[in-house]
Amino acid sequence: MASLDNKIALVTGGSRGIGKAIALALAAEGANVAFTYKSASGAAEETSNAIKALGRKALAFQSDAKSFDEAAKVVEGVVKEFQRLDILVNNAGITKDTLLMRMSEQDWDDVIDTNLKSAFNFSKAVCRQMMGQREGAIVNISSIAGVVGNPGQTNYSAAKAGMIGMTKTLAKELASRNIRVNAVAPGFVDTDMTGKLTPQQKEALLGMVPLKRTAKPEEIASVVVFLSSPASAYMTGQVLCVDGGLVM
């Protein structure tokens, strides 16, 4: 029996990159998967079809993760369809990198709202349902940038560090209702985001990674599956760095 048979999962920003890998990994372990996407309808359809090909139900919501009201509507839609919600993965995120002295207020607000406020929006939206069920798992996708900082990413690092603080606090608030809250902090992952780096930048980055390579999105997804499953039943408030040894 798969570890997540008939569980209901919701992944924000699930149409591509790490989010898509997470959605498919959860489905492969038996979960029915709902996910949000902002604008990439073609990618969303591909992800839906891939989930269904694994024999699971898929539900895609076009939604702006920054909007509290839209988050509530998505959760309402998931519960209406499946009558419950077992797993939330707060993955929606963007980057707008530049040094602080050049960073616009809009660059700051967009990244904080998309990466951090969205996690508040969806976590708050699922709380009541999970508390009523007296079980649930929330996994926040943070970053090593939130653990050690990264030049040119003041906004991103602040948002990801905020997710870590939120993870620990929410874990304490929800533990009595058997709801676990953990975070994954990826290092350099082979996605569209890292695809923008020059060969020189990539070489410099890999020079700092003991395993000398980037992660595949599936390697992040497998840790999310672990934190969503009974295998991690006694873990809450933890931050797992999946970074090839970069932060140790």
Side-chain angles (χ1 to χ4, degrees):
M1 186 171 114
S3 66
L4 298 175
D5 265 355
N6 297 314
K7 295 291 186 185
I8 308 303
L10 171 60
V11 181
T12 68
S15 65
R16 54 190 176 189
I18 294 171
K20 179 179 181 178
I22 291 168
L24 296 184
L26 292 168
E29 281 300 317
N32 296 311
V33 183
F35 65 92
T36 69
Y37 67 98
K38 189 173 181 187
S39 56
S41 55
E45 193 175 338
E46 273 179 36
T47 301
S48 286
N49 291 338
I51 292 166
K52 289 170 187 168
L54 292 165
R56 311 313 304 170
K57 290 179 182 166
L59 205 56
F61 293 90
Q62 186 166 12
S63 173
D64 184 353
K66 299 195 296 284
S67 166
F68 182 79
D69 290 341
E70 287 189 35
K73 280 178 189 161
V74 168
V75 171
E76 196 180 302
V78 174
V79 174
K80 187 177 178 186
E81 176 71 22
F82 296 111
Q83 283 69 60
R84 62 183 293 114
L85 179 50
D86 302 291
I87 299 156
L88 168 67
V89 183
N90 284 310
N91 167 74
I94 59 168
T95 55
K96 290 198 172 183
D97 298 351
T98 190
L99 296 174
L100 181 67
M101 62 185 294
R102 296 189 191 125
M103 188 176 289
S104 69
E105 184 181 6
Q106 194 67 53
D107 288 345
W108 172 270
D109 288 348
D110 284 348
V111 171
I112 294 293
D113 286 352
T114 305
N115 298 33
L116 180 58
K117 183 174 179 248
S118 66
F120 162 78
N121 292 343
F122 279 90
S123 298
K124 184 168 169 64
V126 303
C127 269
R128 194 176 297 279
Q129 178 65 31
M130 287 185 175
M131 286 168 81
Q133 295 168 184
R134 297 196 78 82
E135 70 170 334
I138 298 173
V139 183
N140 294 321
I141 307 303
S142 179
S143 167
I144 56 158
V147 180
V148 294
N150 197 26
Q153 289 195 314
T154 311
N155 47 7
Y156 187 77
S157 299
K160 294 302 189 179
M163 288 181 92
I164 289 171
M166 182 178 167
T167 298
K168 292 171 185 282
T169 299
L170 204 51
K172 290 180 175 178
E173 288 183 4
L174 298 177
S176 65
R177 301 300 179 95
N178 195 33
I179 300 164
R180 301 180 302 107
V181 189
N182 293 288
V184 177
F188 302 120
V189 186
D190 193 13
T191 64
D192 292 346
M193 278 190 190
T194 52
K196 295 171 190 164
L197 300 174
T198 66
Q200 291 83 357
Q201 286 172 317
K202 270 194 180 166
E203 197 178 327
L205 292 179
L206 294 181
M208 299 186 284
V209 180
L211 287 183
K212 298 299 178 202
R213 65 176 180 85
T214 54
K216 300 181 184 75
E218 293 74 19
E219 291 173 313
I220 309 303
S222 62
V223 179
V224 175
V225 169
F226 167 68
L227 290 175
S228 304
S229 78
S232 61
Y234 200 54
M235 289 178 67
T236 196
Q238 299 306 303
V239 182
L240 299 187
C241 292
V242 186
D243 63 358
L246 184 56
V247 177
M248 64 161 114

